[in-house]
Structures are given as structure tokens and as C-alpha cells.
Amino acid sequence: MFRTCIYSMNQSVNPICARTASQLPKKLPNAYSLFVSENYKLFKSKLPPNTLSKEVLRQLGETWTTMPMIKKSEYIKRHDEAANEYDNFFKTAPLRLIYDVEDKKEQKLIMKKFVQYGRLPKKPPASGYALFVSRQKRLPGQKSQDFIRSCAEQFSRLSEGEKQLYKDEVGVMKQEYDTLFAKLMNG
């Protein structure tokens, strides 16, 4: 649940903050998913009673792929409109919304969206090693496991002084992040 956010200047309640966590906009289905959700029952009713969902979905898929673009555009348009509304929520919602949501998962989603839309700075790396890894180039076709192993080997070969430089840089990045974050949240 959200706590109520009050604007200090005119004491009016912010309607965005007055939402409950369940009222946060959900990520929208794509145009095909809208088509399926609206037509599933109709297609199922035209088939024998024991027909598996797999068969209904197969027929819906065939219908979608053969459907003229003019008919598909109706679903695409509705998806695009809803997607714009979803994006606009995060572009205009107050930054304090992060603290008004009690659910940690919802908070992470909101933070991620605010960072995505450039409203909050990206969090700095957690450690000097994480910063080191973020600056390494992965070879084309290299598996993640091999890449991480290679980074660990390279980092272990660094002198303590070189490792300390990465740690110090992360410390500076964290201070800058905390200062900017606090400024944005209070401003």
C-alpha cells in the first residue's frame, strides 16, 4: 500500500501517490496477446468441448498470422496507446513514489523505470571488482562463465595498489550518486 503523499505548499493530496501498489500500471501485453485474450473464448466455443488449450492457441496463432495488417493494426494501436500511458506514468510520477511503495519488488521496478527514463542516476557498481568487470570487453561468442573466469584471473593479477584505485573510484561514484539521489528526492 502507498502512504499518502501531501504537497507541503497547498496541502493537496497527490493522486499518483494515493494509489495502492496493486494500482501501479502493469506491463502491457503485446498486440497478439490482446488478440488472444479477446478471442480465446470465441475460438474455444467453436471447437469440441474436450479440445485442449494448446489446440485453441494453435488456431488463434494461425488466424493471427493470416490476418490482414489492417485488422492487426487495431490491436497494435491499442497496445501502443496503452504502452504510452504506461510510459507516461513513470515519466510524470513523483520520485517520492519509491518510498511510498512498501513492497520491495515494486520499489525495484519503480527505481528501474525512473533510471530508464533518465529521472534518476544509475547506481554505481557495488565494488572495485564489479567496476573492473564492467570495463572489460567480452569477446564475440564468449560464454558468460568464461568471461567472468577471465575477469577474475585478470583482477587477481592486479597489484593491491591497482585494486585500491578501483575501490576508491567506486567510493567516489557512490558519494556522487548518494548526493545526487538525495538532491533529486528532496528537490
Side-chain angles (χ1 to χ4, degrees):
M1 294 292 258
F2 289 129
R3 294 172 295 214
T4 304
C5 295
I6 308 252
Y7 288 123
S8 58
M9 296 175 94
N10 61 9
Q11 297 298 312
S12 64
V13 175
N14 180 343
I16 293 176
C17 288
R19 294 175 182 241
T20 62
S22 63
Q23 292 173 317
L24 281 174
K26 301 280 187 251
K27 188 67 178 163
L28 299 162
N30 61 28
Y32 172 71
S33 296
L34 287 171
F35 169 76
V36 169
S37 67
E38 289 180 8
N39 292 287
Y40 185 86
K41 287 182 181 178
L42 175 68
F43 274 66
K44 187 162 176 85
S45 69
K46 293 179 181 179
L47 296 170
N50 296 349
T51 306
L52 297 174
S53 294
K54 180 176 153 181
E55 179 61 26
V56 178
L57 291 172
R58 187 187 65 73
Q59 288 195 10
L60 282 163
E62 287 175 6
T63 303
W64 177 260
T65 54
T66 59
M67 184 185 292
M69 193 57 168
I70 192 84
K71 285 189 176 183
K72 285 183 184 180
S73 66
E74 169 192 331
Y75 295 99
I76 294 168
K77 181 181 176 192
R78 286 187 20 228
H79 164 74
D80 290 346
E81 288 170 356
N84 285 336
E85 188 176 314
Y86 177 83
D87 290 343
N88 285 336
F89 174 83
F90 290 103
K91 289 177 182 175
T92 60
L95 296 175
R96 300 268 334 143
L97 182 64
I98 296 164
Y99 299 119
D100 295 330
V101 177
E102 294 174 0
D103 181 49
K104 294 287 183 193
K105 197 173 183 181
E106 295 285 342
Q107 284 179 343
K108 280 185 136 183
L109 169 79
I110 293 167
M111 289 275 291
K112 183 178 177 181
K113 289 295 178 183
F114 284 164
V115 170
Q116 177 184 340
Y117 293 115
R119 299 189 62 210
L120 284 178
K122 186 177 178 185
K123 264 190 162 179
S127 66
Y129 175 70
L131 178 61
F132 175 81
V133 171
S134 72
R135 293 182 174 166
Q136 303 308 304
K137 299 288 183 212
R138 189 169 168 179
L139 300 173
Q142 186 178 26
K143 294 181 181 177
S144 297
Q145 186 178 6
D146 295 336
F147 173 70
I148 295 299
R149 187 178 299 120
S150 169
C151 289
E153 289 170 4
Q154 290 175 39
F155 191 76
S156 68
R157 282 184 258 158
L158 294 178
S159 69
E160 286 304 315
E162 291 170 316
K163 290 178 184 177
Q164 189 61 45
L165 290 173
Y166 282 104
K167 290 177 188 176
D168 293 345
E169 188 174 348
V170 167
V172 170
M173 292 168 83
K174 285 181 179 180
Q175 282 182 321
E176 290 173 353
Y177 172 83
D178 290 342
T179 303
L180 181 58
F181 188 83
K183 182 180 175 185
L184 288 168
M185 295 307 291
N186 295 325

